[in-house]
Amino acid sequence: MIMQPKLNIVPFVSVDHMMKLVLAVGVERFLTELAGYIEDDFRRWELFDKTPRVASHSHDGVIELMPTSDGKLYGFKYVNGHPKNMREGLQTVTAFGVLADVGNGYPMLLTEMTILTALRTAAMSAVAAKHLAPKGARTMAIIGNGAQSEFQAIAFNALLGIDRLRLYDIDSSASRKCAKNLAGMGFDITICATGQEAVEGADIITTVTADKQYATILTDNMVGPGVHINAVGGDCPGKTELHRDILLRSDIFVEFPPQTRIEGEIQQLAADHPVTELWQVIAGKTEGRKSTRQITLFDSVGFAIEDFSALRYVRDQLQSTGLYEELDLLADPDEPRDLFGMLLRAKAAAAA
Ligand SMILES: NC(=O)c1ccc[n+]([C@@H]2O[C@H](COP(=O)([O-])OP(=O)(O)OC[C@H]3O[C@@H](n4cnc5c(N)ncnc54)[C@H](O)[C@@H]3O)[C@@H](O)[C@H]2O)c1
């Protein structure tokens, strides 16, 4: 006899299960495999429903919904960004997400995405750098050593072989935390006293700071020829990290231009400033890095398709690992139209 699936149940991946999943797979392998899912989805970019994320801005932060669909599956992420949270003992970024079946609209997965966002952001950055960073790059400066920073380091190690890190944060305890967490993973780590010191000799510069303002984490004189910049922290209107002059000297690669023009570093530029869509590079339709002296910039803001890839990846791990709970999420009356009858039967059962 074929077992009927439990129609009320949606697999739920809690924070505890996500941590167990990442540890069971291994962080490096998780990031590498997730990068593969992202590349697969970027190669079929044109299939997807795409829209800039729906953002609700407030004085202290932003809450965003990020939906997309490939016609078979639908995914969305809820995510916030509140730079002041860290000072109150809270995460700057928290997230959860859903994957659903387009055929019947039923959710197929509900999962924590705070950890998953850090993983997908790092995997996305490393995928971009694979195509844009100078060949043989080994040294990366990471400016901003908060929650995302270790994930970035490990992804760049796993996908590009980066093994020398130069860390800088306005709060030196963040750099010490980052160095301590990465100890024993094969990195040669230098903690730097200034951003200027951090970028010395770096092939790749990652900026991943959190501040709700037009910040200037990198000034023009800090960026020499041939460098790849992975600009992660500027991801909201009025929240950027790079001096405008750097943008004018760089070849700029973006996820989804209509969203990046609102949220990315390029909000500082004219609306028609030329940018290259990263999917075109990944799909082999256009070139990434063309010369050794070129400055390449990945103006990362985080796009829904990356979260969709991450949701697909997590869903594909569930059966083999069993690392989820069964969540009684969907009302499933015996007769579909008898939703109210289900309520009455529950009342009768409670009374008995
Ligand atoms: N592009 C994306 O896809 C994406 C995804 C996730 C997060 N983000 C962004 O990345 C940023 C970092 O996120 P997080 O979770 O690591 O935040 P976090 O608050 O944990 O860490 C941010 C760090 O930046 C440091 N910092 C702030 N101003 C600085 C400055 N001027 N110079 C040097 N260091 C400075 C802080 O001291 C802190 O240690 C946020 O702005 C977040 O919105 C982007």
Side-chain angles (χ1 to χ4, degrees):
M1 197 181 86
I2 299 169
M3 289 278 290
Q4 283 298 317
K6 292 183 236 167
L7 297 176
N8 60 320
I9 295 296
V10 174
F12 169 57
V13 179
S14 63
V15 173
D16 185 48
H17 274 136
M18 182 61 74
M19 293 194 294
K20 287 183 173 133
L21 178 61
V22 176
L23 295 173
V25 174
V27 190
E28 293 86 353
R29 200 180 118 204
F30 194 112
L31 284 162
T32 307
E33 291 177 353
L34 176 52
Y37 273 58
I38 291 174
E39 284 180 315
D40 287 347
D41 286 339
F42 270 54
R43 278 191 210 102
R44 55 193 193 108
W45 183 267
E46 285 158 299
L47 283 183
F48 281 88
D49 268 353
K50 292 177 285 294
T51 171
R53 58 186 157 197
V54 183
S56 172
H57 294 281
S58 56
H59 180 259
D60 289 324
V62 63
I63 295 178
E64 297 162 328
L65 293 177
M66 302 173 69
T68 191
S69 169
D70 68 355
K72 292 201 166 98
L73 296 171
Y74 170 92
F76 80 85
K77 178 168 87 171
Y78 165 103
V79 62
N80 77 301
H82 286 70
K84 61 137 193 121
N85 274 7
M86 193 251 305
R87 292 186 291 278
E88 296 164 10
L90 304 172
Q91 291 289 301
T92 299
V93 174
T94 69
F96 67 89
V98 169
L99 194 67
D101 179 341
V102 168
N104 59 17
Y106 267 41
M108 305 157 75
L109 171 69
L110 171 65
T111 176
E112 91 77 42
M113 287 190 83
T114 305
I115 297 169
L116 193 57
T117 292
L119 290 156
R120 81 83 156 111
T121 303
M124 183 69 243
S125 286
V127 165
K130 244 176 59 178
H131 296 274
L132 302 177
K135 290 245 167 329
R138 285 188 63 184
T139 306
M140 177 158 84
I142 307 183
I143 302 182
N145 303 147
Q148 312 294 318
S149 59
E150 295 92 340
F151 295 91
Q152 290 280 334
I154 298 169
F156 276 74
N157 180 259
L159 273 86
L160 283 95
I162 295 299
D163 60 359
R164 296 183 196 135
L165 299 177
R166 300 180 63 78
L167 306 180
Y168 171 65
D169 195 295
I170 33 167
D171 176 356
S172 60
S173 73
S175 303
R176 289 196 298 277
K177 175 265 326 178
C178 181
K180 185 163 167 267
N181 284 340
L182 294 173
M185 293 192 191
F187 291 105
D188 174 352
I189 300 176
T190 308
I191 294 182
C192 302
T194 61
Q196 175 70 54
E197 187 189 332
V199 301
E200 278 165 25
D203 307 300
I204 300 173
I205 303 172
T206 289
T207 56
V208 60
T209 64
D211 206 342
K212 204 173 180 341
Q213 63 163 341
Y214 292 109
T216 309
I217 305 302
L218 293 182
T219 50
D220 196 27
N221 60 315
M222 291 166 79
V223 181
V227 162
H228 172 62
I229 305 169
N230 170 41
V232 178
D235 60 357
C236 261
K239 176 166 172 271
T240 56
E241 294 180 303
L242 309 187
H243 192 282
R244 187 174 180 274
D245 289 349
I246 301 171
L247 310 184
L248 299 175
R249 288 164 61 214
S250 306
D251 285 311
I252 304 172
F253 297 81
V254 303
E255 292 140 315
F256 183 53
Q259 182 177 313
T260 312
R261 293 208 188 267
I262 300 168
E263 301 180 348
E265 296 300 326
I266 58 170
Q267 65 186 276
Q268 303 181 64
L269 301 179
D272 60 354
H273 188 91
V275 296
T276 304
E277 295 187 46
L278 195 58
W279 76 268
Q280 299 219 342
V281 178
I282 294 170
K285 290 180 186 288
T286 185
E287 261 182 298
R289 172 168 290 271
K290 293 185 193 130
S291 82
T292 50
R293 292 185 62 79
Q294 185 186 14
I295 298 169
T296 50
L297 164 62
F298 174 39
D299 186 1
S300 157
V301 293
F303 186 58
I305 293 178
E306 297 145 36
D307 298 304
F308 180 92
S309 310
L311 288 163
R312 280 203 307 113
Y313 178 71
V314 168
R315 183 160 184 281
D316 285 351
Q317 312 312 309
L318 296 186
Q319 210 175 356
S320 59
T321 62
L323 289 169
Y324 64 94
E325 285 158 46
E326 294 196 336
L327 195 65
D328 176 21
L329 190 67
L330 306 176
D332 176 40
D334 299 335
E335 206 274 283
R337 285 170 299 187
D338 197 18
L339 190 60
F340 193 73
M342 186 171 92
L343 199 61
L344 294 180
R345 285 191 290 283
K347 188 179 173 192

